[in-house]
Amino acid sequence: MTQRPILIAPSILAADFARLGEDVAAVDEAGADWIHIDVMDGHFVPNISFGPQLVKAIRGFSDKVFDVHLMIAPADPYLQAFADAGADIITIHAEAGPHLDRSLQAIHALGKKAGVSINPATPESAIACVLDKVDLILLMTVNPGFGGQAFIPSVVEKIRRTREMIGDRPIHLEVDGGISAENASLVAAAGADVLVAGSSIFGGGETSTYAGRIAAIREGALSGLHKAA
Ligand code: DX5
Ligand code: ZN
């Protein structure tokens, strides 16, 4: 079995908003594969973060993939704005609207990669019918809305089942919420290949620690892959 590369995607929700551009450049330098951008509307999730103008403002600070996670309902009216702002991947929640298939098609029509996310309580069967329409599946490992929450261990079995459901399709399996160097091994062994991490990378607020923190999560994940092999 060929080993999937592990990608680390720091979530800028935990960065220092007063110097966000610099923090994005710093995690890029420190070895981030993607930049994970959490958009919250105070309606689909109980918190508000930022919108497309901010994505546009930080676009110049990194050439890495901008992985935009929309926790907003409805999402359709804003897809174009996020595409124009510089998103490379746009992920929407299956729970956020009645026409998931159409929304995913709309993202592709904008020339962007399309992702679908599900909350911890949503079974993977909710996305079984859109597997041919997605480039990425994002499994929430906390209830979305806030950084710094505890990882929900029951999602590990869902990661395993989702990886099986993906089969040979070229779909990334991303996990998001409470990911650390300690549990990276567990989620990678279950089949995740993209690990989002906010607090465990930006937590200390010290730019000089970012590279070590990213490397520790990556090493944890790779050790999990070896165990699983
Ligand atoms: C939660 C967000 C996550 C969050 C991760 O709603 O989607 O991306 O920022 O933060 P940590 O790693 O601190 O749980
Ligand atoms: Zn996220």
Side-chain angles (χ1 to χ4, degrees):
M1 178 179 130
T2 47
Q3 190 176 294
R4 275 181 299 278
I6 290 289
L7 304 177
I8 309 296
S11 162
I12 60 163
L13 191 64
D16 182 346
F17 284 8
R19 53 180 184 96
L20 196 49
E22 285 85 345
D23 251 359
V24 168
V27 280
D28 175 324
E29 275 276 291
D33 296 294
W34 293 357
I35 306 296
H36 185 80
I37 301 175
D38 287 307
V39 178
M40 304 177 176
D41 66 353
H43 166 73
F44 178 67
V45 290
N47 192 13
I48 299 176
S49 59
F50 42 70
Q53 290 91 338
L54 181 128
V55 178
K56 190 173 176 197
I58 58 171
R59 185 62 272 195
F61 288 84
S62 170
D63 289 331
K64 301 274 166 79
V65 165
F66 269 23
D67 173 31
V68 175
H69 177 192
L70 298 183
M71 287 160 274
I72 65 175
D76 291 10
Y78 304 99
L79 298 176
Q80 173 95 52
F82 285 101
D84 292 348
D88 296 297
I89 304 171
I90 300 179
T91 296
I92 54 176
H93 268 259
E95 304 90 349
H99 303 295
L100 179 59
D101 185 285
R102 178 188 290 148
S103 303
L104 293 167
Q105 288 190 50
I107 297 170
H108 279 149
L110 291 165
K112 304 299 174 184
K113 301 249 192 250
V116 65
S117 182
I118 51 175
N119 290 331
T122 303
E124 71 279 9
S125 57
I127 53 174
C129 295
V130 294
L131 290 180
D132 59 338
K133 303 256 168 56
V134 296
D135 305 288
L136 174 144
I137 294 172
L138 168 49
L139 297 183
M140 291 308 303
T141 40
V142 298
N143 287 295
F146 303 93
Q149 302 180 81
F151 176 80
I152 299 175
S154 60
V155 182
V156 174
E157 275 313 305
K158 184 159 70 173
I159 300 172
R160 218 180 295 284
R161 293 193 303 269
T162 307
R163 173 52 71 188
E164 220 173 279
M165 186 169 87
I166 290 173
D168 291 334
R169 295 175 183 87
I171 299 176
H172 285 293
L173 183 52
E174 183 174 44
V175 287
D176 184 5
I179 301 296
S180 66
E182 287 69 45
N183 59 26
S185 144
L186 198 66
V187 294
D193 66 312
V194 186
L195 279 64
V196 175
S199 337
S200 60
I201 293 174
F202 291 103
E206 274 302 324
T207 314
S208 61
T209 67
Y210 296 168
R213 289 162 175 260
I214 291 172
I217 297 169
R218 195 187 303 282
E219 277 158 32
L222 291 172
S223 78
L225 282 188
H226 290 135
K227 271 182 229 151

Coordinates of all heavy atoms in Angstrom, one line a residue, residues 20 82 84 102 125 182:
L20 N -2.1 39.3 11.8 CA -2.5 38.1 11.1 C -1.7 37.8 9.9 O -1.2 36.6 9.7 CB -4.0 38.2 10.7 CG -4.7 36.9 10.4 CD1 -4.5 35.8 11.4 CD2 -6.2 37.1 10.2
F82 N -15.8 34.3 -1.7 CA -14.6 33.6 -1.2 C -13.7 33.1 -2.3 O -12.5 33.1 -2.2 CB -15.0 32.4 -0.3 CG -15.5 32.9 1.1 CD1 -16.8 33.0 1.4 CD2 -14.6 33.3 2.0 CE1 -17.3 33.5 2.6 CE2 -15.0 33.8 3.2 CZ -16.3 33.9 3.5
D84 N -13.3 34.7 -5.2 CA -12.6 35.9 -5.6 C -11.5 36.4 -4.7 O -10.5 37.0 -5.0 CB -13.6 37.1 -5.8 CG -14.5 36.8 -7.0 OD1 -14.3 35.9 -7.8 OD2 -15.6 37.6 -7.1
R102 N -26.0 20.7 -5.3 CA -26.0 21.9 -6.1 C -24.9 22.9 -5.6 O -24.1 23.5 -6.4 CB -27.3 22.7 -6.0 CG -27.3 24.0 -6.8 CD -28.6 24.8 -6.5 NE -29.8 24.1 -7.2 CZ -31.0 24.2 -6.7 NH1 -31.2 24.8 -5.5 NH2 -32.0 23.6 -7.3
S125 N -23.0 8.6 6.3 CA -24.0 8.3 5.2 C -24.6 9.6 4.6 O -25.0 9.6 3.4 CB -25.1 7.4 5.7 OG -25.7 8.0 6.8
E182 N -0.2 14.6 20.2 CA -0.6 13.4 20.9 C -1.6 12.5 20.2 O -1.5 11.3 20.1 CB -1.1 13.7 22.4 CG 0.0 14.1 23.3 CD 0.5 15.5 23.0 OE1 -0.3 16.4 22.7 OE2 1.8 15.7 23.0

